[in-house]
Amino acid sequence: ACKSTIGESGDIEIVEGSVTDVHLPQKSVSYIITSPPYGVESLSYLRTHLLSFRALEPILGVDPYNFGEGVIGSEYLDGTLPDVSSFLVSSASNTYNSYFGALLDAAESAIEEKRIMMMMRFFEDMYTVIKRFDNWLTDHGKIAFIIGNKKIGDSVIPTDTIITEIFEHFGFLLEESIGHKLKTNNSNSQVPWQDRIIENEYIMLFRRKEHENI
């Protein structure tokens, strides 16, 4: 039933690599569907899948604790604090600036400040990724971007708003945002001794502004 959509096997090419360093021709991608990590959980991803990583290490040739900059949110695996003043995302999202500026002003400990900076670095990663999408996508291309609004302490991060503003910065329009309550047994999302970490999840559909009907 899907043959006409997928095409012949000879027409399919699998490109191995990270979205942060893979090389694709400009305007060569029609559709992008992605569900990136939600920030401040890279270590949780590693712990959840550590056995798989260890089993595949001889094949992949990669140590799961040595991904470095090759991982979205890799700042969580590095002991140094990021220089948030140099982040380009600050030029794209007013919500990012106001939200994280207020959090940093209210931070009461070095640990809390570090966690806030980790999430700020996550959005810098998202800025870099969306900039690459802008380069790869055809003029009539579309993007489906799945993201969830996490918390820092009791504060819900307005992730969907920040992501929308970054896309808008690169000339995209949000066509539709499909939100739902996250229902999962995944321990990264809810554990018995604390509130749900990810309350809402969104499928966000973007297209380029130049195709807006005038």
Side-chain angles (χ1 to χ4, degrees):
C2 298
K3 186 174 181 180
S4 62
T5 302
I6 297 175
E8 301 296 329
S9 60
D11 299 329
I12 299 171
E13 179 183 2
I14 298 175
V15 181
E16 294 186 53
S18 167
V19 69
T20 60
D21 57 28
V22 69
H23 296 288
L24 298 176
Q26 187 175 11
K27 294 189 176 182
S28 63
V29 179
S30 298
Y31 299 97
I32 296 173
I33 303 171
T34 182
S35 177
Y38 294 171
V40 193
E41 62 179 10
S42 292
L43 289 177
S44 297
Y45 271 119
L46 283 179
R47 288 171 184 150
T48 301
H49 303 290
L50 187 56
L51 180 58
S52 298
F53 277 123
R54 283 300 187 197
L56 292 172
E57 183 180 349
I59 299 171
L60 299 175
V62 176
D63 185 328
Y65 284 115
N66 193 31
F67 284 140
E69 292 298 323
V71 174
I72 294 295
S74 57
E75 73 280 1
Y76 308 113
L77 309 179
D78 189 341
T80 60
L81 288 178
D83 177 14
V84 296
S85 66
S86 67
F87 288 174
L88 297 177
V89 64
S90 62
S91 66
S93 172
N94 290 330
T95 301
Y96 166 91
N97 293 326
S98 59
Y99 177 79
F100 286 107
L103 281 186
L104 286 175
D105 288 343
E108 297 180 350
S109 68
I111 293 176
E112 186 178 357
E113 184 179 32
K114 181 178 181 180
R115 185 173 175 82
I116 293 167
M117 289 184 175
M118 285 177 176
M119 274 305 305
M120 295 175 76
R121 172 61 186 273
F122 166 78
F123 284 106
E124 179 71 359
D125 286 345
M126 292 295 98
Y127 177 95
T128 300
V129 167
I130 293 168
K131 182 178 181 180
R132 305 206 82 195
F133 289 171
D134 176 45
N135 183 61
W136 295 336
L137 205 67
T138 64
D139 288 340
H140 296 276
K142 294 188 176 184
I143 298 174
F145 196 95
I146 303 171
I147 201 70
N149 287 6
K150 291 179 65 68
K151 290 182 177 180
I152 292 183
D154 295 328
S155 177
V156 178
I157 305 168
T159 303
D160 60 318
T161 302
I162 296 172
I163 291 297
T164 298
E165 291 176 359
I166 298 172
F167 270 106
E168 289 175 343
H169 175 77
F170 286 104
F172 290 91
L173 278 176
L174 177 65
E175 277 193 322
E176 187 176 2
S177 180
I178 305 168
H180 66 97
K181 295 290 184 182
L182 191 63
K183 297 178 181 179
T184 178
N185 291 324
N186 188 333
S187 61
N188 292 337
S189 300
Q190 185 177 24
V191 289
W193 58 86
Q194 70 179 151
D195 292 335
R196 188 178 291 271
I197 298 173
I198 305 172
E199 189 68 30
N200 295 299
E201 201 172 44
Y202 300 89
I203 302 173
M204 308 177 74
L205 307 177
F206 294 95
R207 64 178 173 84
R208 290 195 185 278
K209 282 184 180 179
E210 53 261 40
H211 296 293
E212 182 180 12
N213 293 325
I214 299 177

